[in-house]
Amino acid sequence: MDLFLQQVANGLVIGSTYAVVAIGFALAFTVLRVINFAHPDIFMVGMFTGLVAATQYPVVGVGLVMLAGMLGAGAVGFVLERTVIAPLRGRDVLMTLIGTLGVAIMLQNGMALIAGPDPVAFPSLLPRRSIDIGPVALTLRQIANFAICLLLLALVSFYVRGTSYGRATRAIAERPDVAAAFGVNVGRICQFTILLASLMAGAAAVSVGMLYGSASAFVGLLYGLKAFICMLVAGNRYFEGVMVVAIAIGIIEALVTGYLSSSLRDAVAFFVMIGVLYYRPNGLFGSYSS
Amino acid sequence: MTYAGLEPVLIFTLLNVVMVLGLYVTAMSGQLSMATAAIAGVGGYASAVLTVKFGWAFLPAILMASLLSALVGVALALVTLKMRDFILKLTTLAFGEALAVLAFNWDYIGGANSFTGIGLKTTIWTCVIATSVALYVAWRFDGSRLGFAARAVRDDPIAAGAMGVSIAEVRGITFAVGGAVVGMGGAVQGHYMLVISPHELGFFISLNFIIFLLFGGLQTLWGPLFGAILLTALPEMLRFTSEYRLILYGLIITLVVLLRPNGMLTRVPTGREWRLFGYVLTPARPIAPPSAGVKPLPVAATGRPVGQAAAQ
């Protein structure tokens, strides 16, 4: 039972990271109908700008490192939106995937050129301490990562449900043409959506870098596909659904690692996806028609 | 560059052509399979097991591998028959990944350690023959009644069904023929690489073939052919820029998607005139004389005129 609880806790930590990246995918896909495959690499850029801040200015502290990560990721996301993502709106979904994948290849190999292809150490910034909660032992960094991701998710949820931009976001998701006819500035919202997703990815990237103590130019590959699958399994109608599914997949993966084998871990998401989509092709919580 | 240095490049180019032609046939019915590498892997593993563990000869092993891949293709077509367009593509993706995991955990075919000990049987001529077979199949399929039925299903499944085309049959056959061609390519490749590892079944390998196809354009047979040849040779041609070549590769893909949304090679759109220095290269070809004063209605969401097929 202790192993079970421990794995559930580990799964919550990793699942919340999936959730943040998956929400980035979901925001781009619902609002722009673009599969932004460069999103995990925007995440990666955030991790490296955070790394630069943390190594060059060692005293800046966690908050400022995170801010640096957000700025780096946000800048890349903003430029990408203007140059690639916005022109792809309205194209076939698969073409948007290929187009942004080209950007992803550029970002990955560009960063590999700058930082080298091997993983680089990421300073931990937080004390190495383990905290016992009942039978479960978590490190301080795991708890920090979970808290940061949860905070980000709560903020997105508030943004979508509680602000006027969020209402416009949902309107565009439902019917872009009608939203535009009712005075929503679709281009502005699209811009803002990608920027928001990138900022979130930057913050999450810094906390993931601290969690694992390493940063790599190819870290995006790990998160990209899984986050994407989380979005599909949940369907994009409710962002909260994407979060729940991402965390659930994280927990299932941790349990599979604990009880079966770690080589099966990466298959979990795919089996969940085939199973769910066979019975509910629009995802568990429904999708906007595209 | 000497011939000896060029031969591997030629072989990989030809093998990629085989795979992408198989994918082209599959995609003709509107179902872009994202499991190409996995189906090629089925072919590769099958022929490897048959030659190594059962002592079969090369040719029957390849034929059997093609057959098995075709069966896997049909299974995939049946699983995804009722799914929506976009979800379907992603289910094929998951199907491929599931096969990769199966290969990873199945010790009989080497599991995580890859299947080794395959004999070197593939020469450049084997590849030439395989490519010729693939080209012939794709070319015949392109112009056949079945090819037209497949394209009808792609453009509008409901209308095609109403006109008496069996969607299940057409999709099953395109997946079977495409799977057989891809499986043949995988088998030939296996006997050149001499090792098959589960990683080669993954999504990112399949994605290469999709990039070839969409880069070249899937309106004609020549599009995928061109895409596979150029994009296999391109990283070699860019070798002088060794460090930047993958960045350039990404840049070229993005630029093509942005600037030529239907791929590099497309049919000339009806009604459009192409000129070079004032000379008319292809005259305007209206498909039917437009009625006076009637313009096609633009669709606000996509900006495409009604009646023009989606770029897919």
Side-chain angles (χ1 to χ4, degrees), chain A residues 16-204:
Chain A
S16 62
T17 325
Y18 290 159
V20 172
V21 183
I23 283 292
F25 264 123
L27 278 171
F29 184 59
T30 357
V31 177
L32 291 96
R33 301 280 196 285
V34 167
I35 300 179
N36 183 9
F37 240 73
H39 187 70
D41 295 289
I42 293 174
F43 173 89
M44 179 272 294
V45 171
M47 190 180 275
F48 272 92
T49 40
L51 175 69
V52 169
T55 47
Q56 300 293 313
Y57 311 100
V59 287
V60 291
V62 180
L64 286 175
V65 169
M66 202 157 279
L67 195 65
M70 288 170 77
L71 282 179
V76 173
F78 183 77
V79 173
L80 263 188
E81 199 276 338
R82 289 287 86 197
T83 52
V84 179
I85 297 172
L88 283 175
R89 278 187 66 212
R91 295 277 183 78
D92 178 77
V93 173
L94 206 67
M95 291 305 273
T96 68
L97 191 158
I98 305 285
T100 51
L101 193 80
V103 176
I105 294 174
M106 274 190 273
L107 285 177
Q108 280 165 18
N109 290 288
M111 191 54 85
L113 205 62
I114 300 169
D118 300 320
V120 189
F122 198 102
S124 67
L125 300 173
L126 289 175
R128 276 177 198 285
R129 235 192 20 240
S130 162
I131 295 169
D132 294 336
I133 307 164
V136 179
L138 287 173
T139 64
L140 189 59
R141 282 177 288 171
Q142 277 182 308
I143 293 173
N145 181 58
F146 186 57
I148 290 166
C149 290
L150 227 50
L151 181 68
L152 288 170
L153 295 177
L155 283 177
V156 169
S157 192
F158 170 72
Y159 165 75
V160 172
R161 306 264 163 231
T163 64
S164 61
Y165 264 50
R167 200 161 57 240
T169 304
R170 281 179 290 140
I172 294 173
E174 193 79 56
R175 282 286 295 274
D177 46 349
V178 176
F182 274 77
V184 174
N185 186 341
V186 178
R188 171 77 57 78
I189 300 285
C190 290
Q191 226 168 329
F192 192 77
T193 302
I194 296 290
L195 186 65
L196 181 78
S198 306
L199 289 175
M200 269 174 65

Side-chain angles (χ1 to χ4, degrees), chain B residues 305-309:
Chain B
V306 172
Q308 187 180 335

Side-chain angles (χ1 to χ4, degrees), chain B residues 66-147:
Chain B
S66 293
L67 191 67
L68 267 175
S69 307
L71 287 178
V72 173
V74 172
L76 183 53
L78 291 181
V79 170
T80 56
L81 190 63
K82 292 256 158 63
M83 292 184 185
R84 273 197 309 147
D85 173 60
F86 170 61
I87 296 299
L88 177 147
K89 286 167 186 160
L90 294 152
T91 309
T92 60
L93 187 167
F95 187 86
E97 290 292 329
L99 281 182
V101 171
L102 186 70
F104 201 85
N105 289 290
W106 192 5
D107 288 332
Y108 181 72
I109 56 170
N113 298 325
S114 309
F115 192 100
T116 50
I118 308 168
L120 177 62
K121 303 270 175 53
T122 299
T123 61
I124 183 93
W125 296 112
T126 325
C127 295
V128 170
I129 293 168
T131 311
S132 312
V133 171
L135 256 177
Y136 181 73
V137 169
W139 176 63
R140 283 303 300 265
F141 199 88
D142 220 13
S144 69
R145 194 181 158 76
L146 198 58

Side-chain angles (χ1 to χ4, degrees), chain B residues 273-281:
Chain B
E273 194 181 67
W274 285 85
R275 283 164 181 260
L276 189 69
F277 303 120
Y279 294 99
V280 177
L281 294 180

